[in-house]
Amino acid sequence: MIYLLKASGVLMLFYFVYQAFLKKETFFRVNRHFLLIGVIAAFVCPFIIINTYAEIAAIPITASDSFPANSSIEMSKSSFNWLDLIYALYGIGISMLGFKFIFQLLAIRKVIRTNKTIKMDSYVYVETDKDIAPFSFFRYIFYNPNNFDKLELESILKHERAHSSQQHSLDLLVAHLVAIVMWINPFSWLYKK
């Protein structure tokens, strides 16, 4: 839990810096690298431990009327462990989001297998009749040719080829995995967005 809190803090810090200084910049490659460095830092920085030591002089405690020396304090033990509940809820969240992510990947695979594919250059164009917004996933480009005229479609495919060649799908996978692992942190969802 301490690790997750530290990682969440680092991710939150990078998110605020991005929002304050980089969000409106048009240096997309710099923004991308900054956000990826933030993810790496969030997972690495919590392992860095900085020890500081301070000596504090001991103060002798003597028995008094209000607290006799031979008295014993009984600690009440709770039979319910809240930390176990937190870990269980965290595990359930990761499991649910992990399964959802796997189903999304399988859905993409199904679209590839059940629709017309055209291999051209280093890309595979997947034409579908479903009403979807065009998107790319690694070297696959998905689109509905009936939703656009020829000029619009060429512009959209050029845009998606740029996303594919710049490996934006890898960024999305990393962002999804970060959101799954840190699902309890709202900044992980904002970071993913």
Side-chain angles (χ1 to χ4, degrees), residues 21-34:
F21 301 110
L22 298 173
K23 183 179 180 181
K24 295 181 181 177
E25 294 297 325
T26 56
F27 302 111
F28 300 117
R29 192 167 289 185
V30 172
N31 288 357
R32 177 185 182 204
H33 288 127
F34 177 81

Side-chain angles (χ1 to χ4, degrees), residues 103-114 137 142:
F103 287 131
Q104 288 172 336
L105 293 176
L106 292 174
I108 289 173
R109 183 177 171 206
K110 182 180 178 185
V111 171
I112 293 169
R113 288 182 173 213
T114 59
F137 188 71
F142 303 82

Side-chain angles (χ1 to χ4, degrees), residues 6 9 16 18-19 30 34 49 72 76 89 96-97 99 110 114 123 146 148 159-160 167 176 189:
K6 289 179 181 180
F16 282 136
Y18 173 78
Q19 288 294 323
V30 172
F34 177 81
I49 298 171
S72 64
S76 65
L89 290 175
M96 289 174 54
L97 292 170
F99 283 126
K110 182 180 178 185
T114 59
Y123 304 101
N146 302 322
F148 310 99
H159 177 83
E160 293 304 328
Q167 298 293 319
H176 270 74
W189 298 99

Side-chain angles (χ1 to χ4, degrees), residues 136-151:
S136 61
F137 188 71
F138 291 101
R139 62 187 185 106
Y140 293 93
I141 298 174
F142 303 82
Y143 63 98
N144 183 340
N146 302 322
N147 289 351
F148 310 99
D149 64 42
K150 189 173 182 172
L151 189 60

